[in-house]
Amino acid sequence: MHFMNDQSQLSFARTAWSTLEPCHALIYFAPEARQAYTQAGLKGYWMGYFASRSAPLGAVPVEVVTATFYNFHPRMIGRALPDAWSFSTPERVIQVRLSAADAALRRLLGERMGSQEVAEAAELAREATRGCSVVGRALYATYAALPWPQESHLVLWHAATLLREFRGDGHVAALLGEGIDGCEAHVLQVGMGNVTKEVILPSRGWNEEEWQAAIQSMQRKGLLDNEGQITVSGKTLHSEIEKRTDFLALPPWQHLGEERSKRLLELVRPLSISIIEQGGIPMPNPMGLPRP
């Protein structure tokens, strides 16, 4: 099923990401998550992050996590994994992550919890995921294999997780197709003003020397000028990567159709705004997420 025109579809896919992302991404900032991972035996924030996000993969070699996470420096992942699995298990971490999401959503959504709007949004978001194929989407596939929660707010959170990992796998494919590595992807985002270097460096594990090497590589490609500012070619490349990412993220929205897709965003937008306004996600943030 197709809706709108081609450009409108791409624009909608991007709007859908920025609208739904807060419903998922709160798990990376919620104190409930940090406490849950500590209680599960994990040591420190980043061990909790890498173990919890990769737990559906199982206790796989660190190289597999590096491949699917893409824009984190491999050594940053290697400091957390596989050591995390000597303190806890993937099954336990999956369980406590869901419990943490439950607690955080109850705190951040307050009176909205249990509303008809949340229930309707949850069912629409779940239906959207039925339009997603696992083929070529390794991280999405492993989340798609998890059982669905029962309560509506957790169904919405899980669906938002599936949709963002589906999009994320497509974004990795778009970057690979343009020959842009993990660090260069961040330099490109900083050049476009979507996030600052000060926010991205400590949260993705690249050091100053590696950052400068990425700048030099992009200067040789004509993507940055001699002053390190993004060029017209750089802006064009960024636009093409974003368009390709949006295109690869279209299947769930084409499956849901125009009317139900717009209804889902209409329902989710006030939830996401509430999450952000109550500090559930910092602004600015490492994802480059704007306000919905």
Side-chain angles (χ1 to χ4, degrees):
M1 180 185 297
H2 295 278
F3 64 95
M4 311 180 203
N5 56 48
D6 289 345
Q7 188 55 48
S8 293
Q9 287 189 58
L10 297 181
S11 177
F12 184 89
R14 174 154 296 274
T15 300
W17 166 71
S18 64
T19 304
L20 276 161
E21 179 72 356
C23 291
H24 159 77
L26 59 87
I27 197 64
Y28 304 129
F29 307 101
E32 292 89 346
R34 300 188 191 198
Q35 182 179 2
Y37 302 149
T38 298
Q39 291 174 347
L42 301 178
K43 312 295 182 183
Y45 174 83
W46 285 110
M47 180 177 283
Y49 174 89
F50 289 116
S52 64
R53 192 170 168 219
S54 70
L57 290 165
V60 296
V62 68
E63 289 82 1
V64 176
V65 180
T66 299
T68 53
F69 282 28
Y70 193 76
N71 62 1
F72 286 90
H73 195 290
R75 69 168 167 264
M76 189 177 187
I77 302 172
R79 284 196 292 265
L81 302 172
D83 285 358
W85 307 131
S86 65
F87 301 116
S88 193
T89 66
E91 294 77 16
R92 173 64 176 151
V93 172
I94 289 169
Q95 180 185 31
V96 301
R97 190 187 201 218
L98 183 63
S99 296
D102 181 26
L105 284 164
R106 290 180 184 277
R107 172 174 57 85
L108 292 167
L109 295 185
E111 294 180 356
R112 298 178 188 272
M113 283 290 303
S115 68
Q116 181 57 43
E117 288 78 11
V118 170
E120 184 183 353
E123 286 309 306
L124 286 171
R126 182 171 183 166
E127 182 60 35
T129 68
R130 294 191 175 103
C132 300
S133 169
V134 300
V135 177
R137 315 266 185 160
L139 200 53
Y140 167 77
T142 194
Y143 275 92
L146 295 177
W148 281 88
Q150 297 300 310
E151 295 183 90
S152 291
H153 64 290
L154 291 177
V155 170
L156 178 59
W157 176 76
H158 185 58
T161 301
L162 290 173
L163 292 167
R164 75 97 67 169
E165 298 298 8
F166 182 82
R167 180 184 178 87
D169 285 339
H171 186 54
V172 169
L175 290 168
L176 280 169
E178 296 293 348
I180 297 297
D181 67 24
C183 191
E184 290 173 335
H186 295 314
V187 173
L188 198 57
Q189 287 287 75
V190 169
M192 291 298 298
N194 295 329
V195 67
T196 66
K197 176 184 172 184
E198 290 71 26
V199 167
I200 209 66
L201 270 187
S203 66
R204 295 299 181 262
W206 305 92
N207 62 32
E208 184 62 35
E209 182 180 351
E210 291 155 347
W211 188 265
Q212 293 304 318
I215 287 177
Q216 292 170 13
S217 172
M218 295 176 73
Q219 287 173 329
R220 290 193 294 270
K221 296 174 184 178
L223 305 175
L224 300 178
D225 62 23
N226 291 336
E227 303 300 320
Q229 300 299 307
I230 194 162
T231 63
V232 172
S233 294
K235 292 177 180 179
T236 299
L237 177 65
H238 178 268
S239 176
E240 289 303 312
I241 290 171
E242 295 303 301
K243 286 179 182 178
R244 176 60 58 178
T245 300
D246 292 335
F247 174 76
L248 292 173
L250 281 177
W253 312 117
Q254 292 174 331
H255 170 76
L256 201 58
E258 181 175 2
E259 183 177 347
R260 291 192 295 172
S261 294
K262 288 183 175 179
R263 176 59 176 164
L264 173 57
L265 299 199
E266 177 186 331
L267 291 164
V268 168
R269 187 169 288 108
L271 305 180
S272 292
I273 290 172
S274 178
I275 288 168
I276 290 172
E277 287 182 344
Q278 295 186 71
I281 294 176
M283 291 287 171
N285 51 75
M287 298 95 66
L289 176 71
R291 292 184 180 274

